[in-house]
Structure formats: structure tokens, C-alpha cells
Amino acid sequence: MTFSVAACSGNNGGTNAGNSGDSGASPAPSSTNTEASASPAPSGDAAPGWQSDTSPITFDWYINFSWFNKKWGGDATAEYITKKTGVKLNFIVPAGNENEKLNTMMASGSLPDFITLGWYEEAVKKMIAGKLVLPLNELADEYDPYFFKVADPAKVGWYTQPDGNIYGYPNASSSQSDYEKYGENFTSNQTFVVRKDMYEAIGSPDMSTPEGFLNALKAAKEKFPEVNGQPLIPIGLHEFNDTVGNDSLNDYLQNFLAIPRQKDGKLYDRRLDPEYLKWLKVFRQANQDGLLAKDIFIDKRPQMEEKIAQGRYFAMLYQRSDFANQNLSLFQKDPNSVYIAVEGPKNAAGDQPTLSGPGISGWTVTLISKNVKDKKRAISFLSYLMSEEGNKDMFLGEKGVTYDTIDGKDQFKPEVLELLNKDRAAFDQKYGASYTYWMLMDTNMNLQWAPPSVEPSKQLEDWTKGKAISMAEFDNMDPDPTSKEGVANSKNNRNWAKALPKMLLAKSDAEFDQIFDEYVKDRTQQEAIEAYRQTKYEENLAKLESMKK
């Protein structure tokens, strides 16, 4: 287990071998923007800007994930980087609803120096449109040409906006050339897992069909009604939210069912697909049969992590990196009590799932606020983190402390690797390496340092190999949230988020159909939204094609 971070939902779910985080990338922007794209790389002799000033400075860095609880410092890696660069970080993390916190900061114009959030968040476009963040290429031109030396042209091209500027740089991003180099090792974060001992105790049934799925949940509940005095939760899902519904029942389920995103070059509305609706009705039936615990509708990630650590779920349609630490704890107590990946829901034809692999957009983007306290130090520190040197420091830490050259390869010292594989939380607190600080991690670059995956994470990773595909052309297709279509799209998504739990709680398939039909009927500006998305899809295809030249 090289690292375990939550490769946060959205349209992603892909990782590289041994890594937990999404991925994606690409060069030149669409042909309409080519002349205005972010500045080209200068001659290769640009020196790292951060080296010219290593005096003490503290940057405020907003992380838009409420589960991120690490403070900067107190570990070997953070102390080493601060000693080396002079930079300390003050992480700001929302205590509750991420959207509310970020919207409040944007409205007040008081954004911190750095902002890291999912590339798919509406706030990215809002910050750019509102001129709340600075063009990285302009900062680099003025203060740190080294940025262009270390920036991947593919990622710069993909993220160049119509005004010719790039405002955010991604982590965990993989281009088409990365697929050619590393593709056979690429994995997905999207898994259907079962608790090994329970699954084997009920005969290791096939859960890929509606009947097999429901029968397995029933058998598990009957055989294991309680776990250490607490009720068994037959099936676990990602948390429900009020913006998109539930990741497990949106893209995850659709990907497991291999529902296409396009047909004959036209985007396909997967939400209307008969196979998808059939399986949502399977979950409705599960609720009618007493197999959907109330917990799944109200629990947030901290509560879910606690219950996973207790082994209270029989099965989960879940992102494997989100429970890596808890699964490791279960493994250490009893290797048979861990969660393993098995064949999950399939379409009627039994097709292999098409899981989201590393994507061009990556997982998160990091932006620099217009309020940044020191533009030169900020872009220089960003360039350092993006570089191979910065990635090596963030992954391996300090030589002689966390890693050494062993058998000709730079790798973790034995005692450091042992703690990484035994207790990730303790590793983070003591060493802070292996991308504890993941904001600019390059999941392809780190393959040269990554130790081999070990159980229990290895089984989960290996199961997804060969099933992970790039869905880059479908990234970033939603309209600007401030546009007429964007406002309607947000409203439609919120309506879906309201309809989805109601559909699962419906007392009959007829009631389910009524709720779904009402949702479809109430969608506004749908034709305009679909036309916009189709145009963006075609632009994405052209952009990807241009990268092959």
C-alpha cells in the first residue's frame, strides 16, 4: 500500500498501480484556442525559483475535503520541506459542508493563498469567471519560468481556458502517452467488495445478477444478524448528498453495468438506461426486504469509516482508497475479516465493467488566489511541488531519514516501509511521506519509487486491472454554473439528489416509476444542456486527437 487518500468521487475513480488517487492529462487546447494557449516552455535552463528565497513564510492552503485532518508539520517530511524551502503551510479545511464553506469564502472575496478542490467542482469555474484566482502562466512568466520546465504540456493544454490562461494544475493526472507507458498497470478506485469471511460462509455466491445480489444480502443478514453486538449493514454506499445524490448509485453503478457514455458519437443519457433503472429497482427491492439500513441514508464518511473498521458492512459499492486504512486494521486483526473485491452488478449480457481509470483531468486542481500574500514565493513553491524533486520529497521524504539508496534504488528504509504497511495513520504522523500531502502528487512519476503493493490493498487493486479505462473525453463537459444552462443543470442535479433516495424508499416499482418520471418531467433546459455537453465532448475529442500529433 503506497498511499491511501480519498480520490474523491466526481466522474473519476481511477488510479495508477499501487496508488490511490485519480488520474488524467493532455497537451494543446482545442484548435480554436491554440494561438492563445498558456505560454510555451522556455529553454531548459530555467532554475527553480524557490531556491532564490528560502526565508520563512507561511501560506494558507484551503483543502475542500472535510475528511482531510492532517496539519502541516510534526512529521519528518513536512519538517524537511520547510527546512529546505522555508515554506510552512496552514491548512484550512471545512468542518461540515464543503460547498457552503467555499461559497462563503468566494462571496466575501477572502480566499486563502492556495485552493485545492476536485476539478469537477462548480467552484472552479466560478473562481475563474469571478477573477478570484490568478493565471499560473502569467505568474510563471513574471516570477518563475521554471514552472514551464516542470509543467506537463499535456496538462497545461488540457487546462488552458478560452482566454489562453491556465488557472489550476492537477494532481494524479494521466495523459494518453501515460496510458501507452503505464496502462497495463493502471487500476480503478471503483470496487464492489464483500467481507471475506461472511461471503465464504454463505457459499461465495454470484452477486452479478439481481437475484444473486438480493439473495446474498438476505443470506448474509440471516447468518450474521449482528457484528459484535451491532446490527449488520447488508450493503454500504458512498454518502448521500444534496448536489448529485450518491456516487455509488450514479457513475459507479453505471460503470459496473458497462452502460455506454456515448452511442454513435452522440452523448447517451445513462440515467434513462433501462439496465440502470432495473438495478436501481433492485436496490428499492432490497429496501423493501429490509436490506437497506437507515444508516446508509444519513451517515457521512467519518461514521462510515468507523463502521467499516468494525466490519459491520457485508458488501459495499465503494471507492477502495476511502477504506484502505480500516481494511488494513481488519487484516491485521484477522486476514479473513477483510473486504475483498468480487464481481458486482452486471448488465443482462454479463459484460465486464468499464471502470473509471486514470483520467486526463486528474483528481484535484490547485489554484492560487488573487489575495496571495507573495506571488513569487507561491508560484515557485507550486513549481517545486509539481517537479520531480518535489514529488520525490513528498513521496520519499528526506534521504537518510525516511529513505536511502538500497540495492541501487531510492526506496523507503525497512522500518519506514514496515510502519507504512502496518499502520498508515501512525506513518502519516511520524513520517508524513508517501503523499501524506497529496495536493500535487504525480501518480506516474512516483512509480519509480513506489514499493510493491501488499495485502489487503493488492487484491483490490489487482481486481480492477484490465477493467480500468480512460474516460478523458467525457471530463469537464458541464456548462458554466453561472450561465442559464449551468443554473438549470445544477437545479436538475439537486432534483436528482432528492429523487434518488425517494426512489429507493418507494413502496413499489410503480411508485418508483412515478418519482422517476416526475424527475424527468421537471428537468429544465435539458436540450440546451445536452447541446452544450455535446459540443464540449466533441471539443474534448479534438483536443485529445491533437495530442497524438
Side-chain angles (χ1 to χ4, degrees):
M1 182 178 66
T2 33
F3 60 88
S4 52
V5 294
C8 192
S9 59
N11 296 325
N12 291 318
T15 71
N16 298 351
N19 300 331
S20 308
D22 289 5
S23 304
S26 286
S30 61
S31 55
T32 56
N33 300 336
T34 303
E35 293 183 3
S37 65
S39 303
S43 59
D45 57 358
W50 67 267
Q51 293 178 349
S52 64
D53 186 353
T54 58
S55 60
I57 187 171
T58 299
F59 284 115
D60 294 327
W61 195 313
Y62 177 74
I63 308 284
N64 197 44
F65 299 99
S66 59
W67 50 261
F68 183 74
N69 58 10
K70 185 72 172 76
K71 303 296 183 186
W72 180 263
D75 60 75
T77 298
E79 297 299 329
Y80 168 59
I81 290 173
T82 294
K83 177 178 68 175
K84 179 175 181 174
T85 66
V87 175
K88 287 186 178 179
L89 299 176
N90 172 42
F91 290 129
I92 300 169
V93 180
N97 186 294
E98 288 92 347
N99 291 325
E100 288 180 7
K101 173 72 172 176
L102 191 50
N103 285 334
T104 299
M105 289 195 300
M106 287 193 294
S108 66
S110 59
L111 288 171
D113 302 299
F114 291 91
I115 307 103
T116 294
L117 71 168
W119 66 261
Y120 43 84
E121 300 282 357
E122 287 185 350
V124 176
K125 291 180 178 177
K126 287 181 179 178
M127 285 188 286
I128 294 172
K131 300 189 183 304
L132 299 176
V133 290
L134 300 173
L136 301 182
N137 51 295
E138 291 184 1
L139 289 174
D141 280 335
E142 186 169 358
Y143 301 109
D144 187 28
Y146 184 66
F147 171 88
F148 295 111
K149 185 176 180 180
V150 298
D152 185 331
K155 299 171 190 178
V156 171
W158 185 255
Y159 274 100
T160 295
Q161 300 298 311
D163 66 1
N165 294 319
I166 174 174
Y167 294 87
Y169 198 82
N171 73 354
S173 173
S174 291
S175 66
Q176 289 172 300
S177 62
D178 291 325
Y179 263 85
E180 293 168 7
K181 290 180 192 173
Y182 315 111
E184 64 182 19
N185 293 317
F186 280 172
T187 60
S188 175
N189 250 332
Q190 299 174 344
T191 49
F192 179 74
V193 301
V194 292
R195 196 172 132 168
K196 184 174 184 290
D197 50 0
M198 294 182 181
Y199 182 66
E200 291 174 350
I202 61 171
S204 302
D206 177 6
M207 297 182 69
S208 66
T209 66
E211 299 76 16
F213 182 84
L214 290 171
N215 288 337
L217 297 187
K218 289 175 187 174
K221 186 178 181 182
E222 289 171 2
K223 194 169 186 67
F224 304 98
E226 291 187 343
V227 178
N228 296 325
Q230 297 290 326
L232 177 79
I233 303 172
I235 180 71
L237 307 167
H238 278 279
E239 65 184 67
F240 282 82
N241 61 57
D242 58 5
T243 54
V244 294
N246 187 293
D247 291 327
S248 298
L249 297 177
N250 290 341
D251 277 352
Y252 281 33
L253 180 57
Q254 291 163 356
N255 290 348
F256 268 86
L257 299 176
I259 297 171
R261 289 177 177 267
Q262 62 83 26
K263 290 185 176 183
D264 299 323
K266 296 296 181 184
L267 291 177
Y268 179 60
D269 192 340
R270 303 209 291 175
R271 236 169 237 174
L272 304 182
D273 186 86
E275 285 277 357
Y276 176 56
L277 293 175
K278 179 180 80 173
W279 268 94
L280 284 185
K281 287 180 178 178
V282 172
F283 281 87
R284 188 212 69 78
Q285 186 65 49
N287 181 67
Q288 183 173 315
D289 295 344
L291 301 171
L292 292 191
K294 289 185 175 65
D295 310 52
I296 69 171
F297 293 101
I298 57 177
D299 282 351
K300 299 301 181 186
R301 180 165 166 175
Q303 291 78 43
M304 297 168 72
E305 287 181 348
E306 182 180 348
K307 290 170 183 176
I308 294 170
Q310 296 167 348
R312 287 186 57 194
Y313 296 96
F314 162 61
M316 294 187 288
L317 185 56
Y318 210 69
Q319 184 160 264
R320 60 181 173 80
S321 62
D322 282 14
F323 66 93
N325 294 349
Q326 292 74 28
N327 209 31
L328 179 59
S329 296
L330 291 170
F331 181 77
Q332 289 165 347
K333 292 173 189 170
D334 178 3
N336 285 317
S337 70
V338 296
Y339 289 96
I340 59 170
V342 298
E343 297 289 340
K346 285 188 174 182
N347 61 33
D351 295 326
Q352 276 279 63
T354 51
L355 305 180
S356 179
I360 194 164
S361 298
W363 166 31
T364 68
V365 288
T366 293
L367 310 96
I368 295 177
S369 163
K370 69 171 186 178
N371 304 321
V372 66
K373 59 175 63 77
D374 188 320
K375 293 179 181 178
K376 182 179 188 305
R377 295 292 296 277
I379 187 65
S380 298
F381 189 61
L382 184 73
S383 299
Y384 158 72
L385 293 177
M386 291 160 48
S387 71
E388 182 165 336
E389 179 182 10
N391 265 267
K392 185 175 183 180
D393 289 347
M394 282 294 193
F395 189 81
L396 286 179
E398 183 176 10
K399 189 166 188 177
V401 177
T402 48
Y403 84 94
D404 266 322
T405 304
I406 304 170
D407 297 329
K409 177 185 176 182
D410 288 343
Q411 54 187 296
F412 288 123
K413 297 169 73 172
E415 66 273 19
V416 177
L417 182 59
E418 181 183 5
L419 185 60
L420 172 63
N421 288 331
K422 186 173 76 173
D423 189 336
R424 178 70 209 218
F427 173 92
D428 289 350
Q429 290 304 118
K430 184 173 183 178
Y431 297 119
S434 189
Y435 291 140
T436 295
Y437 306 103
W438 40 260
M439 297 84 74
L440 273 302
M441 65 180 179
D442 187 316
T443 46
N444 296 312
M445 194 182 288
N446 95 294
L447 292 174
Q448 60 190 302
W449 314 301
S453 294
V454 297
E455 298 299 354
S457 60
K458 185 178 186 301
Q459 189 273 339
L460 300 173
E461 291 173 13
D462 288 348
W463 186 87
T464 69
K465 287 182 180 178
K467 304 179 182 76
I469 63 171
S470 172
M471 298 184 182
E473 63 269 36
F474 304 106
D475 283 352
N476 210 18
M477 296 190 303
D478 287 338
D480 185 318
T482 60
S483 68
K484 182 172 67 173
E485 295 84 1
V487 170
N489 190 51
S490 298
K491 175 177 173 286
N492 293 345
N493 283 335
R494 289 195 299 272
N495 285 346
W496 174 255
K498 291 176 184 175
L500 183 59
K502 290 180 182 176
M503 288 155 60
L504 301 187
L505 296 169
K507 293 181 171 58
S508 66
D509 282 351
E511 185 182 342
F512 176 106
D513 290 338
Q514 183 181 355
I515 297 166
F516 179 76
D517 291 344
E518 194 70 25
Y519 154 75
V520 173
K521 188 183 77 172
D522 287 347
R523 293 197 297 188
T524 58
Q525 296 286 322
Q526 191 62 24
E527 285 188 11
I529 294 167
E530 289 177 0
Y532 179 92
R533 287 169 58 83
Q534 181 68 30
T535 298
K536 291 298 292 183
Y537 166 64
E538 291 170 7
E539 287 178 2
N540 285 348
L541 287 175
K543 207 185 266 195
L544 291 168
E545 188 60 33
S546 73
M547 295 174 195
K548 298 177 182 178
K549 298 172 183 176

